Amino acid sequence: MKLVAQLSVALVVYFAPVSLGSAADVSDTDFQEFLSLWGGGYDNVAQATAQEAEGVSAEDRNPATLVFIRKINLPAFGPHTYYGEWQDANDPSRILRQRIYGFEIDQVEQKLRLNLHIWPAASPEFVARTQGAHLDPSTLNDVTPADMFDLKGCDIYFTKTDDGYRGSMKKGECSFPAPDGSGSLIYSWTQMTVNESQFSYLDGWYNSDGTPYRRFTKNWYVYDKKN
């Protein structure tokens, strides 16, 4: 089950260099606005509390978690790079996920692109050394894309909406062998939204025919920005 752990323990966002042509549909103004929305501290405590009060079953609740997303200077991942860390709201020492997000304008798709970099959970020393990087980015100084878990096709493409930005992976492209050892391929599909006050997403794994393979949560995670 190494892959399950690998996919559940990491986060970095990367935005690559942008060169806009005169016919570009996505403006640099939109890109700068998009970037400005990410950094901050978030939690979904209000969501988790409401679900419990409404009697939502334990298996269908979204566990209360804290999320910290900070801009970092990590040129190997591009000029617009962010680190993300998920913590258990009831035990912040318990790290649930880390990511690096790299952001860019995708000139072919004419969309805002989140290049997703996933932590190699098979290396607990690396995870331990880099956790808390939102407080001390220097722990990431020697990290390069080669250190990340090698999973292709998992980037997220965003478009502007009336209330922020909405994006998703391309269905079927973030594929990998099923962890049950059957040899069949499954794929991960993530949807996201971001605006001035909230960051939300829904993850899931699917069989090649589009039927669900594994549901992580029934409902979207809805994180309120705290700072």
Side-chain angles (χ1 to χ4, degrees):
M1 298 297 288
K2 286 184 178 180
L3 183 59
V4 175
Q6 286 168 329
L7 288 177
S8 63
V9 184
L11 160 71
V12 177
V13 180
Y14 154 83
F15 287 104
V18 176
S19 175
L20 294 175
S22 58
D25 295 326
V26 179
S27 72
D28 187 59
T29 299
D30 287 343
F31 182 59
Q32 295 303 322
E33 177 186 58
F34 181 60
L35 290 178
S36 73
L37 298 176
W38 288 92
Y42 304 78
D43 71 49
N44 72 321
V45 172
Q47 177 189 40
T49 300
Q51 288 178 340
E52 184 174 5
E54 292 165 5
V56 176
S57 65
E59 66 176 9
D60 284 339
R61 291 179 204 159
N62 294 68
T65 52
L66 312 177
V67 179
F68 300 94
I69 300 176
R70 301 290 189 229
K71 182 174 175 57
I72 56 175
N73 181 24
L74 212 58
F77 292 87
H80 306 288
T81 305
Y82 289 70
Y83 169 80
E85 182 170 302
W86 279 246
Q87 302 172 358
D88 184 334
N90 297 309
D91 179 10
S93 67
R94 181 170 173 249
I95 307 302
L96 304 175
R97 174 183 286 192
Q98 293 167 278
R99 297 284 189 270
I100 287 177
Y101 294 153
F103 296 104
E104 65 177 319
I105 294 177
D106 188 302
Q107 298 291 352
V108 175
E109 298 288 337
Q110 279 304 309
K111 292 184 178 181
L112 300 162
R113 178 170 172 168
L114 184 164
N115 295 309
L116 181 63
H117 300 274
I118 298 177
W119 251 239
S123 175
E125 297 83 6
F126 182 51
V127 172
R129 174 169 63 84
T130 55
Q131 69 182 61
H134 58 292
L135 300 175
D136 181 10
S138 69
T139 62
L140 299 172
N141 283 351
D142 299 326
V143 174
T144 72
D147 296 312
M148 298 290 110
F149 181 62
D150 187 19
L151 191 62
K152 307 299 183 184
C154 301
D155 300 330
I156 301 171
Y157 297 83
F158 287 82
T159 55
K160 191 170 185 177
T161 68
D162 291 337
D163 180 27
Y165 295 82
R166 185 181 184 97
S168 66
M169 293 178 179
K170 292 184 177 181
K171 277 191 175 181
E173 293 202 3
C174 184
S175 62
F176 47 89
D180 58 14
S182 64
S184 61
L185 282 179
I186 62 174
Y187 67 89
S188 178
W189 189 52
T190 295
Q191 303 171 77
M192 281 187 181
T193 68
V194 63
N195 59 36
E196 291 183 351
S197 61
Q198 289 184 330
F199 164 53
S200 63
Y201 64 86
L202 181 65
D203 294 328
W205 288 358
Y206 298 85
N207 296 305
S208 58
D209 64 1
T211 57
Y213 177 88
R214 179 179 176 185
R215 183 185 70 181
F216 292 98
T217 56
K218 180 179 180 179
N219 301 298
W220 285 63
Y221 274 97
V222 179
Y223 291 97
D224 298 312
K225 182 176 283 191
K226 300 301 181 179
N227 55 60

